[in-house]
Amino acid sequence: MSIKLEQIDELRKRTNVSYEDAKEALDKCEGDMLEAIIYLEKNNKVKTEINNGEKECLFDKFKALIKKGSNIRFIVKKKEKVVLNLSLNVSVLIGIFAFHVVFVGLILALICGFRMKFETNKGEDIKANQTLDKVQDGIQEIKNDLVGEI
């Protein structure tokens, strides 16, 4: 069967593959467009791009970052009681606009034995919590040493 340029162009538009890959897929699938798309997907040749072929722009990256931040919570606890539970986006905005107050508040919270962590909406732990735990444990040790010396 003879493959036409129009078929190759249509397959390329739908799957974002090279002419060579499109022609090979159509040849193997005897010109059947659906079978060619499935063939390309099975062979991991389909390239996905955002915005119908346009490259991902800074705005799209910003939107993805905002979405990810909305799914992460900043939680402050005293023993097992939750004192503060904010989305990461809100926490960052408060930190930017009230830096000095937030900085002092976080230091006081650490000294007073509050525990802080980040958590996804699904309750999953985040790698940053390991570092945060080490800092909180270190501050607690320093506080215990100072109290022991007095």
Side-chain angles (χ1 to χ4, degrees):
M1 175 177 188
S2 173
I3 304 299
K4 295 182 178 168
L5 184 59
E6 291 81 22
Q7 289 175 292
I8 294 172
D9 285 338
E10 180 65 26
L11 185 58
R12 288 192 70 233
K13 185 170 34 168
R14 291 181 182 208
T15 59
N16 194 29
V17 297
S18 68
Y19 276 101
E20 181 181 3
D21 289 337
K23 183 172 183 331
E24 175 189 338
L26 287 166
D27 284 340
K28 290 205 186 262
C29 298
E30 298 175 1
D32 186 326
M33 186 69 67
L34 180 58
E35 288 298 318
I37 292 171
I38 293 169
Y39 170 83
L40 290 167
E41 285 176 346
K42 283 182 179 178
N43 291 300
N44 296 322
K45 302 250 181 175
V46 177
K47 298 173 190 157
T48 57
E49 286 192 28
I50 296 175
N51 297 332
N52 299 326
E54 297 174 18
K55 291 190 177 180
E56 186 175 18
C57 68
L58 184 60
F59 182 70
D60 293 326
K61 291 178 183 181
F62 184 71
K63 282 192 328 189
L65 186 63
I66 295 295
K67 185 176 181 179
K68 190 171 185 176
S70 296
N71 293 326
I72 297 174
R73 310 296 296 172
F74 176 66
I75 300 171
V76 178
K77 289 183 178 183
K78 178 71 173 188
K79 296 184 180 171
E80 290 303 313
K81 184 179 177 187
V82 175
V83 178
L84 184 68
N85 184 349
L86 298 172
S87 79
L88 184 60
N89 292 340
V90 172
S91 302
V92 168
L93 286 174
I94 292 170
I96 290 171
F97 291 112
F99 174 76
H100 294 90
V101 174
V102 171
F103 182 75
V104 170
L106 289 175
I107 297 299
L108 288 174
L110 287 170
I111 291 170
C112 293
F114 288 82
R115 301 292 289 192
M116 295 162 225
K117 72 176 188 170
F118 297 100
E119 191 176 274
T120 66
N121 284 345
K122 297 176 184 174
E124 298 167 344
D125 208 25
I126 295 177
K127 290 181 183 178
N129 287 336
Q130 295 169 350
T131 304
L132 197 52
D133 285 340
K134 288 178 186 176
V135 169
Q136 293 171 121
D137 292 340
I139 290 174
Q140 189 63 38
E141 284 181 34
I142 291 169
K143 188 174 92 172
N144 291 342
D145 290 345
L146 289 174
V147 170
E149 289 180 13
I150 295 177

